[in-house]
Structures are given as C-alpha cells and as structure tokens.
Amino acid sequence: MHRIAGRAWTLLLLMAILLGGLGFFIYEYATASHRWVMHSANPHVYEGGAQTVACGKIYDRNGQFLLDMGNGRIYAADSYIRAATIHWLGDRSGNIAAPVMGHYAAQLAGFSPVNGIYGYGGTGAKATLTISANAQKVALEALGSQKGTVAVYNYRTGEILCAVSTPAFDPDHVPDFSQDDTGLYTGVYLNRFTQAVYIPGSIFKIVTTAAALEHIPGIRSQSFTCVGSYTVGGDTVTCEKAHGNVVLKTAMTRSCNCYYAWLALQMGGEALEKYVEEYGVTDEVSFDGIRCAPGNFQAVGQQPVEVAWSAIGQHKDQINPCAFLTFVGAIAAGGQGVKPYLMAAVGDYTAQPQQMERIMPEETAAVLQEFMRNNVVNNYGVDNFPGLTVCAKSGTGQVGGGLKPNAMFAGFVTDEAYPFAFIVAVENAGYGKQVCIPILSKVLSALREEMLSA
C-alpha cells in the first residue's frame, strides 16, 4: 500500500508540473507570442540573411503605393520617391535598416494568437505611413547632391509629414559604392534625421532665449551694446559686425553672439544645463521602434568662454534633428508637444497622438513665438513662405577642420490649418539663411498645397 501511495503522489506531482508548465506556456503564448513572431529568425516573416520584413504593403498618407515587401520587394514606380523613402523602407540587401517595419512585423504579418500569421492569406497587411510621398520627393530634389535632412511634423498630432535623409539612392538601381571616389555617397546608409547629431549653431539660441526668459527677471528690457566683440576672461567672443544697442528680441533677430555670451555669463553653466535638460533638447527620442541619437550639452565646470559659446550653439553642443524638431514643435503648441510617429495604421493598429510632458510655461512659449516671427518678418522675409505664418531661427554650425559650416534652420508655422514644425540641416553648406530657406520653402509649399487640395 505504501508503495502504491508513493507512486500515486509521484504521479500527482508530475501532473502538477505538467499542468503548471502548460499554464505557463499558455500565459506566455497569450502575452508574448507577438514578440516571437517579430523575431528576425522567423523565415515566414523575414527574408533570410537580410532580416527585412517580407510581407505587407506600404502606402503614404494619401494612399500612394510605396512598397510591396513580398515578391522580392516591389517599390514605387517613381525613382525619386523610391530614393526619398529608402531610409524608412530599407533596401533589398538590408544595408539600410527599416526598424519601423520590424517593430510592426506582427501586424504586417497579420498575426493573431488564434490564426497565426495567416490572417491576410500570407501576403501581409496594408500599412499606411504618415509621410507624404510628394513632399518626400520635393525635399529630395531640393537638397540635390547636398548631404543632410529635411523634416516636417504636425505638432498637434505628431505625424511625421516629411523626413528625408541624403545622400540616398534608388533601390532598383543601386550604385557601385565601392567605386565612388567623390564622397557623394559617404554616410548613405545613415538616416540623418534619427541617427545623426549636428553642431547646431545659432538655432540653439532658441534654447538659450527660453532659459533666459524663465531665469532672469526683466530680461526682455535689459539692453546691451554690441561692438562686434565681447571679452570673456582672457578670451573673446565675436560677431560678424557690431550690432549696436540690442535687447533680447533684437539680439535674437540679429543673432548677436556677443549678447548671448553676456546672457550666458548672467545665467551660468549650471542653470543653462538645467534648462537644456528640462526642454529635452539632448534627449534620446524614441518612436515606432526607433531610438534616435542623443545630443550633447556641457556647460557645468567649463571655462567662462566655453559656457558663452555653448549658449551660442557651439563648443561641445550637439543636437539630433528629431529631438530638436519636437522641441520647436512644443514651443508652437504652447510649451507642451506631442511624440512624433511614422506608422499611421497597420492591421488592427491605428496610431493615436501621445502628449509629452510640458517643457515650459505657456507664457514663455508665446514670447518665443513672437520673437521667432520677428526673425522672419525682419530678417528672413515673409515672401519666402507664401500663405504661411512662419516663425524660425537660422544657424551656422562651425565644424572646424577647414570645412564649410553646417547650415541649420528650425521653427514652425502658427496657422491653425497648417500646424507644421520643421528642421533643415545641410552639411558643409554655409549660412543657414541662404541655404536652408529655399529648400524649406519648397517643402512647406508642397505640404500646404496638398492640404488645400485634400
């Protein structure tokens, strides 16, 4: 009897272990099976070796076909659109990653815990991106052979309307990069909107202006006389010319380095770093499975002249275009922005706006809107942006090494019908005002016309 009872208990224990293991498997299947499907080793979803999603069809925000990821990948008929979207859709060899497609692999495959990956008959789901194919094409053509990025997003909803990175190439006619001795394709695999960082130059004065408005009482009425140079300890900060008597608003419009050096010394490095952190300017932005490159700002413990140049957008300053885009977007939205996103809908998933934390008081954002509008009215020219109320700041990021500076331009449109925030970065191209405005004007006009005809 004892032997039979012992065997019974052993059998009961084994059954308990079996049932426990089965229960654990059912729980894991219910909660994590979609992640198993998205694993790059799954040959039913990914192409071998290249690890690119091999099912689903991709369309732009207007329903224009961009890519069929099955059948060896069939791209759009227009070669410019193929090149303009390659940093989002990827190439056939997998040299350019498409992390958004990997992030939504389960939805693209039509996976459900009941039906497996056969919800769409093995061909995959229809996915709609937030970008405009036409705006992408216009941006690519406007950049031409220059390296850089142009990006626009809706600061009310978070939709990325346009985000082009150059150099790019047509995935249906891949150049022989090994034979390129001109440097034309240097960094071609890099998505400069998400993966690059740039010395911002004077677009960073937007950050310093916001910090000064919050930190220094009565700063708007304090005047400073720029004589073309300003001594900081034993060093000198210079402007291209003497700007004369300026206050904060006119100093921003004239981009007076001496004024901002004077401003930085009033605030100090610790305060500057505090506001940079609060504004999220150097944060690592993430969306749709993408982690953007973090920026850099160092002012604490630096020499006074280094603090001054940091406030101006030089020294060790680095910004990621996507992060800075969300920063200016938050200003446009009254101090609280929305998270950007690229995937509008796929399968049973539909994106919803995600509000970010407030980064500054509404009153501060309103003053910045006023100042940045003044920049356009009294410096850049309203005629460059027909039909749009643009607020902006240009920048010229000195990179050293005998190279031309990076041209930078960032801002937003305040018209209710066109809630665009934008950034343009063109490498080794010269002054932000001269280089970036013609490019941006074409892209904003294309997006405006598209909305008018919708």
Side-chain angles (χ1 to χ4, degrees):
M1 290 293 297
H2 290 295
R3 183 176 298 175
I4 294 173
R7 289 175 177 173
W9 280 109
T10 300
L11 183 60
L12 287 172
L13 178 61
L14 290 172
M15 289 178 65
I17 293 172
L18 177 63
L19 290 172
L22 182 61
F24 177 76
F25 174 79
I26 292 172
Y27 172 79
E28 282 289 294
Y29 184 80
T31 60
S33 56
H34 65 287
R35 293 199 299 271
W36 303 348
V37 171
M38 289 189 292
H39 194 279
S40 59
N42 186 347
H44 299 288
V45 178
Y46 294 88
E47 293 180 345
Q51 296 186 359
T52 53
V53 179
C55 58
K57 294 181 180 180
I58 315 299
Y59 297 81
D60 86 333
R61 65 183 296 105
N62 302 307
Q64 182 166 344
F65 171 77
L66 298 178
L67 173 66
D68 180 348
M69 293 192 290
N71 304 309
R73 296 175 73 86
I74 300 170
Y75 290 87
D78 189 306
S79 62
Y80 279 97
I81 291 176
R82 292 198 296 265
T85 56
I86 194 167
H87 288 99
W88 296 117
L89 304 178
D91 62 340
R92 291 187 177 86
S93 63
N95 288 320
I96 294 181
V100 175
M101 306 311 154
H103 186 69
Y104 293 101
Q107 290 89 342
L108 284 164
F111 172 76
S112 74
V114 176
N115 297 319
I117 62 170
Y118 298 104
Y120 298 102
T123 62
K126 172 185 175 180
T128 301
L129 302 185
T130 61
I131 57 173
S132 158
N134 181 59
Q136 293 283 120
K137 178 179 178 178
V138 169
L140 182 70
E141 291 176 321
L143 278 165
S145 61
Q146 300 175 110
K147 295 181 174 69
T149 185
V150 180
V152 182
Y153 98 128
N154 184 320
Y155 58 78
R156 298 294 183 193
T157 64
E159 299 165 284
I160 297 173
L161 305 175
C162 173
V164 166
S165 176
T166 55
F169 63 91
D170 179 354
D172 281 351
H173 299 91
V174 182
D176 185 354
F177 300 128
S178 65
Q179 298 300 314
D180 175 37
D181 56 4
T182 66
L184 183 64
Y185 290 104
T186 301
V188 68
Y189 298 140
L190 184 75
N191 185 333
R192 282 165 160 80
F193 174 62
T194 59
Q195 297 172 293
V197 291
Y198 291 101
I199 297 170
S202 291
I203 63 170
F204 199 85
K205 288 171 182 170
I206 304 170
V207 182
T208 306
T209 302
L213 287 167
E214 293 197 58
H215 192 76
I216 305 174
I219 187 59
R220 290 192 65 176
S221 61
Q222 293 184 31
S223 62
F224 172 86
T225 301
C226 170
V227 297
S229 64
Y230 182 67
T231 302
V232 181
D235 297 288
T236 303
V237 172
T238 59
C239 289
E240 289 193 338
K241 65 178 182 179
H243 294 110
N245 188 262
V246 292
V247 292
L248 184 56
K249 184 176 183 178
T250 51
M252 189 188 205
T253 299
R254 299 174 190 175
S255 206
C256 179
N257 290 343
C258 295
Y259 177 91
Y260 278 88
W262 171 74
L263 200 62
L265 296 184
Q266 288 193 65
M267 296 185 63
E270 189 172 332
L272 280 168
E273 279 202 15
K274 168 182 172 289
Y275 287 107
V276 168
E277 183 176 347
E278 287 182 5
Y279 299 154
V281 178
T282 58
D283 284 357
E284 184 182 74
V285 175
S286 62
F287 64 94
D288 292 336
I290 294 173
R291 298 181 69 88
C292 298
N296 183 67
F297 182 82
Q298 296 180 34
V300 174
Q302 305 296 299
Q303 295 298 314
V305 72
E306 293 170 334
V307 175
W309 281 116
S310 292
I312 293 166
Q314 293 290 155
H315 186 43
K316 298 181 181 179
D317 296 6
Q318 290 183 325
I319 59 103
N320 168 259
C322 182
F324 207 83
L325 181 66
T326 61
F327 167 66
V328 293
I331 296 171
Q336 185 176 18
V338 291
K339 187 175 182 179
Y341 66 92
L342 182 71
M343 182 63 76
V346 55
D348 58 0
Y349 169 82
T350 301
Q352 299 296 327
Q354 296 184 46
Q355 203 79 21
M356 300 174 73
E357 292 184 5
R358 175 167 292 278
I359 63 171
M360 66 181 64
E362 191 171 352
E363 297 77 14
T364 302
V367 175
L368 290 171
Q369 291 174 21
E370 174 195 336
F371 285 12
M372 293 170 70
R373 178 58 182 168
N374 187 64
N375 294 346
V376 176
V377 172
N378 292 300
N379 188 356
Y380 309 135
V382 294
D383 292 343
N384 288 308
F385 307 104
L388 297 170
T389 307
V390 172
C391 308
K393 181 72 185 81
S394 64
T396 305
Q398 304 293 337
V399 297
L403 298 173
K404 292 178 69 174
N406 292 335
M408 310 290 289
F409 202 75
F412 45 85
V413 179
T414 56
D415 302 300
E416 193 66 31
Y418 311 111
F420 305 148
F422 53 79
I423 187 166
V424 182
V426 187
E427 298 170 17
N428 311 129
Y431 291 94
K433 175 181 175 180
Q434 286 87 347
V435 175
C436 298
I437 288 177
I439 296 170
L440 178 66
S441 179
K442 293 174 183 176
V443 176
L444 292 184
S445 292
L447 286 169
R448 177 177 177 270
E449 290 171 12
E450 192 172 287
M451 288 191 169
L452 282 171
S453 61

